[in-house]
């Protein structure tokens, strides 16, 4: 493996600087991991710095999801004369909030530790399976795509951190992934802006390639999102289980953690499904978030660490922020 100093100019007195930069790009401590205070502090700093690009990738994934779903819902409302008010509400959303949403979500995902992020991703997977089984075979709920926003960000960030853990130049890899994810998120936001502004005109005139493609295949967006989310959460769940289990010293200790967690979330999912069927409006959505995070908060008070409890509170803010940002689309999905 080539180091940075092997192909950069060999200037006198800069060998230590090249070694330091190499260690930073690889996510390693230049002083070793032997428990000394300086090496431990450096390792903690590098780990927290690596969480920021991973959080940015997760936030960009959420942005792509919201943009594509906005395109789908706008086209559906446009084709239904009874949903013109919803169409106008989607079209008049402030686009500056999209960038603010990515920034806020990046900060939240960077603050949340991998342990709590893994638990959030696993909990949503269990809830999604329960919802799909209750809806029936082959039926998808557009609202479920919006409810998974924060869980998707947690799943992507913890999965990416796990896959790149110990990889050579992992910091550089994370920065590259963040850059590519940012480009993809920017292009999907431009697509959503184009559709909300010009789709109605272009679909009639039939001279815009993008709008013609959406006119012919726009109904396939939910299937595209479904396949992408299935793969993403499958990888995230695998990474989450490994990340959580590596903190346990014995099988008995792992069982003491997983048993109450499984029972708690199974009961919560069943009760939340019943409440959702019996309630209407946006209120049960926010109640579900409070109940889920409250259950995780109480559970981690007994079997977790104090940092986990703090991260649950941060996750609650992230969940509420995502739901508030998608309020108009949630209402459109509910009426649909």
């Amino acid at each position: 493996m080539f180091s940075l100093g092997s192909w950069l100019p060999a200037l006198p007195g800069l060998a230590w600087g090249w070694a330091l930069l190499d260690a930073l790009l690889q996510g390693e401590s230049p002083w070793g991991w032997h428990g000394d205070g300086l090496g431990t502090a450096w390792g903690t700093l590098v780990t927290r710095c690596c969480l920021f690009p991973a959080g940015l990738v997760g936030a960009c994934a959420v942005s792509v999801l919201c943009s594509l779903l906005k395109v789908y819902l706008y086209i559906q409302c446009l084709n239904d004369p009874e949903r013109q008010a919803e169409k106008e509400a989607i079209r008049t959303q402030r686009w500056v909030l999209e960038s603010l949403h990515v920034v806020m979500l990046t900060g939240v995902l960077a603050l949340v530790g991998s342990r709590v992020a893994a638990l959030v991703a696993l909990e949503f997977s269990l809830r999604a399976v329960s919802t799909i089984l209750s809806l029936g075979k082959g039926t998808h709920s557009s609202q479920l795509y919006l409810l998974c926003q924060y869980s998707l960000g947690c799943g992507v960030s913890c999965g990416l951190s796990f896959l790149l853990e110990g990889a050579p130049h992992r910091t550089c890899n994370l920065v590259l992934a963040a850059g590519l994810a940012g480009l993809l998120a920017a292009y999907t936001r431009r697509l959503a802006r184009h559709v909300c502004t010009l789709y109605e005109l272009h679909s009639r005139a039939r001279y815009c390639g993008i709008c013609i493609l959406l006119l012919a295949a726009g109904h396939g967006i939910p299937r595209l999102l479904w396949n992408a989310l299935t793969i993403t959460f499958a990888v995230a769940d695998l990474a989450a289980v490994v990340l959580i289990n590596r903190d346990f010293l014995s099988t008995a200790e792992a069982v003491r953690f997983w048993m109450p967690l499984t029972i708690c979330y199974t009961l919560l999912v069943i009760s939340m499904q019943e409440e959702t069927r019996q309630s209407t409006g946006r209120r049960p959505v926010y109640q579900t978030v409070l109940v889920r995070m409250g259950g995780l908060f109480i559970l981690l008070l007994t079997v977790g660490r104090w940092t986990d409890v703090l991260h649950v509170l941060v996750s609650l803010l992230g969940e509420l922020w995502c739901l508030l940002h998608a309020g108009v689309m949630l209402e459109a999905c509910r009426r649909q």
Side-chain angles (χ1 to χ4, degrees):
M1 186 67 65
F2 291 101
S3 67
L4 189 63
S6 65
W7 54 272
L8 287 177
L11 299 178
L14 292 183
W16 183 85
W18 298 144
L20 178 63
L21 189 53
D22 269 336
L24 176 62
L25 291 177
Q26 295 180 37
E28 298 175 354
S29 169
W31 297 283
W33 299 93
H34 304 298
D36 56 298
L38 192 56
T40 303
W42 175 265
T44 303
L45 178 61
V46 169
T47 301
R48 301 312 283 177
C49 290
C50 289
L51 288 176
F52 181 81
L56 180 58
V57 175
C60 289
V62 174
S63 178
V64 171
L65 171 69
C66 292
S67 297
L68 292 179
L69 199 57
K70 182 179 293 185
V71 169
Y72 172 74
L73 290 175
Y74 183 84
I75 294 175
Q76 293 296 310
C77 293
L78 182 64
N79 295 331
D80 189 349
E82 297 180 357
R83 303 179 65 187
Q84 297 306 301
E86 298 171 38
K87 180 203 76 173
E88 290 299 319
I90 294 175
R91 187 176 65 83
T92 55
Q93 278 188 301
R94 297 183 179 180
W95 296 102
V96 68
L97 292 179
E98 298 294 334
S99 300
L100 179 61
H101 180 55
V102 173
V103 172
M104 291 287 293
L105 198 53
T106 299
V108 171
L109 292 174
L111 288 175
V112 173
S114 59
R115 186 180 170 97
V116 172
L119 290 174
V120 171
L122 287 172
E123 183 274 330
F124 176 79
S125 299
L126 178 64
R127 186 158 44 102
V129 170
S130 175
T131 301
I132 293 165
L133 292 177
S134 65
L135 289 174
K137 184 179 180 181
T139 304
H140 300 157
S141 173
S142 299
Q143 188 174 359
L144 188 63
Y145 297 134
L146 291 173
L147 296 180
C148 81
Q149 288 181 82
Y150 183 73
S151 301
L152 173 63
C154 288
V156 169
S157 62
C158 80
L160 189 61
S161 299
F162 169 74
L163 292 174
L164 293 178
E165 185 176 1
H169 306 287
R170 64 168 178 169
T171 308
C172 189
N173 293 332
L174 283 170
V175 171
L176 178 60
L180 294 175
L183 286 176
L184 183 60
Y187 278 115
T188 52
R189 283 202 302 270
R190 286 179 58 186
L191 173 65
R193 189 179 300 116
H194 175 84
V195 169
C196 292
T197 306
L198 299 171
Y199 178 81
E200 190 171 3
L201 173 64
H202 288 175
S203 60
R204 293 192 195 126
R206 304 291 179 92
Y207 64 81
C208 174
I210 295 176
C211 295
I212 292 175
L213 178 63
L214 290 173
L215 184 64
H219 60 278
I221 291 178
R223 171 59 63 178
L224 173 65
L225 293 176
W226 174 262
N227 294 333
L229 290 174
T230 300
I231 296 173
T232 301
F233 276 103
V235 176
D237 292 343
L238 178 62
V241 172
V242 176
L243 286 172
I244 294 173
N245 281 337
R246 71 180 182 182
D247 292 334
F248 302 124
L249 300 177
S250 64
T251 304
E253 189 178 350
V255 170
R256 282 197 299 270
F257 179 84
W258 284 108
M259 187 65 71
L261 178 70
T262 304
I263 295 174
C264 174
Y265 270 115
T266 302
L267 295 176
L268 281 176
V269 166
I270 294 173
S271 64
M272 286 186 294
Q273 290 293 339
E274 293 297 327
E275 291 179 3
T276 303
R277 292 193 194 99
Q278 298 173 3
S279 305
T280 58
R282 277 194 252 173
R283 184 179 177 185
V285 174
Y286 294 99
Q287 285 180 341
T288 298
V289 172
L290 294 175
V291 171
R292 286 170 42 228
M293 290 300 167
L296 184 59
F297 180 85
I298 295 174
L299 182 66
L300 291 179
L301 278 177
T302 57
V303 296
R305 298 186 288 259
W306 70 268
T307 52
D308 295 333
V309 176
L310 179 62
H311 292 157
V312 170
L313 297 178
V314 176
S315 295
L316 175 61
L317 296 178
E319 285 272 16
L320 294 176
W321 170 256
C322 288
L323 292 179
L324 288 172
H325 171 261
V328 174
M329 290 191 289
L330 275 173
E331 187 66 21
C333 290
R334 188 184 66 82
R335 293 182 180 178
Q336 184 183 21

